[in-house]
Amino acid sequence: FQIKSGERWLIQGDNGSGKTTLLKLITGQLPPRSGSLIRADFSSIYIDQEYSIVRNDRTVYEQAQAFNERHFQEHEIKTLLNRFLFPHDTWEKSCGKLSGGEKMRLAFCCLMISNNTPDMFILDEPTNNLDIYHATNMMKIVRRLCDELGKTVILVLHEINYAAFYSDYVCAFVDGKIAKFGTVEEVMTKENLAQIYKVDFEIMRIQGKPLSIYY
């Protein structure tokens, strides 16, 4: 399959099916053992589940300020922190006390004020351990990266229903191989999902988009 500039891709599949391995191949962390992988000249950032660009010995504001290569004013940094769901009473909070979801949002914020905002964001389980409110807001942030900034986004997510609202394309893996890939409409059928996940599905439509119910 081919990922083009400005697209949103959702990588799906069971645990151990090869999703994270694919991300590491795309970023060059792993060499392919067979087949071919052609990479265009682009800059990318891989945000793993450890959120390693966020340092625990800094406060939230200090972490954002450390990435302020574009010389934003203090009020501009604080406005951006608010946009990423960090109100004023969190700015002095130690990053070591942040949840995984908070660290992910702060990592995004830092990249937005860096001189080196990448062309492609590669995100491994960005909604992991988030409640519905924060997971949904995280996905809205991801969508804005494409809509407002023209960024390419590749996501690994377990929640298939986010695909309908926040992705353009889906690539589903089974046992280390591509089972289905294509547009959301092409992949999200009851037959395809039952084949991929080995459970029964029904498809409903909300706002003209497919949503799955599994049982």
Side-chain angles (χ1 to χ4, degrees):
F1 65 99
Q2 182 180 27
I3 298 174
K4 298 179 181 179
S5 177
E7 292 179 342
R8 294 175 295 227
W9 276 80
L10 180 68
I11 310 299
Q12 281 276 305
D14 291 338
N15 292 335
S17 61
K19 303 183 298 296
T20 297
T21 298
L22 174 65
L23 300 190
K24 291 182 177 180
L25 287 167
I26 292 172
T27 58
Q29 297 179 55
L30 288 176
R33 297 182 197 173
S34 62
S36 61
L37 177 68
I38 301 172
R39 296 182 52 187
D41 183 17
F42 63 86
S43 60
S44 64
I45 181 71
Y46 173 44
I47 302 182
D48 57 25
Q49 296 182 45
E50 302 300 321
Y51 322 111
S52 51
I53 72 169
V54 176
R55 281 179 40 177
N56 289 336
D57 60 344
R58 293 171 173 159
T59 67
V60 168
Y61 182 80
E62 288 170 345
Q63 174 68 29
Q65 181 62 49
F67 278 74
N68 188 18
E69 298 169 344
R70 294 161 67 181
H71 305 295
F72 284 180
Q73 298 296 313
E74 180 178 343
H75 74 276
E76 293 176 303
I77 295 176
K78 291 179 177 179
T79 297
L80 195 59
L81 284 169
N82 272 313
R83 183 179 182 184
F84 283 85
L85 307 180
F86 287 100
H88 72 278
D89 59 351
T90 67
W91 297 339
E92 298 305 315
K93 186 176 182 178
S94 168
C95 291
K97 295 182 179 179
L98 298 179
S99 68
E102 288 172 327
K103 286 186 176 181
M104 174 66 81
R105 295 202 312 274
L106 187 54
F108 269 119
C109 182
C110 290
L111 292 169
M112 291 299 98
I113 60 178
S114 166
N115 267 338
N116 300 310
T117 305
D119 303 313
M120 178 182 289
F121 287 82
I122 301 172
L123 311 174
D124 197 353
E125 295 286 356
T127 61
N128 198 25
N129 298 318
L130 297 185
D131 59 36
I132 293 174
Y133 171 79
H134 287 96
T136 301
N137 277 284
M138 173 60 69
M139 294 306 300
K140 289 178 180 178
I141 290 169
V142 169
R143 185 165 61 185
R144 285 203 299 265
L145 291 173
C146 286
D147 294 345
E148 297 179 15
L149 301 176
K151 303 299 182 182
T152 306
V153 177
I154 304 174
L155 294 153
V156 165
L157 287 176
H158 282 292
E159 178 48 71
I160 184 65
N161 283 327
Y162 279 131
F165 284 87
Y166 300 108
S167 299
D168 303 312
Y169 300 95
V170 180
C171 182
F173 279 74
V174 174
D175 297 330
K177 297 180 180 179
I178 296 174
K180 299 289 180 182
F181 72 93
T183 65
V184 171
E185 293 281 351
E186 291 170 340
V187 175
M188 284 189 63
T189 68
K190 59 185 298 183
E191 294 78 16
N192 285 343
L193 295 181
Q195 177 185 346
I196 293 165
Y197 292 103
K198 305 298 188 292
V199 296
D200 293 324
F201 279 83
E202 293 294 337
I203 301 296
M204 300 179 61
R205 303 195 74 85
I206 296 180
Q207 298 181 13
K209 298 179 179 181
L211 291 177
S212 66
I213 299 174
Y214 39 92
Y215 53 93

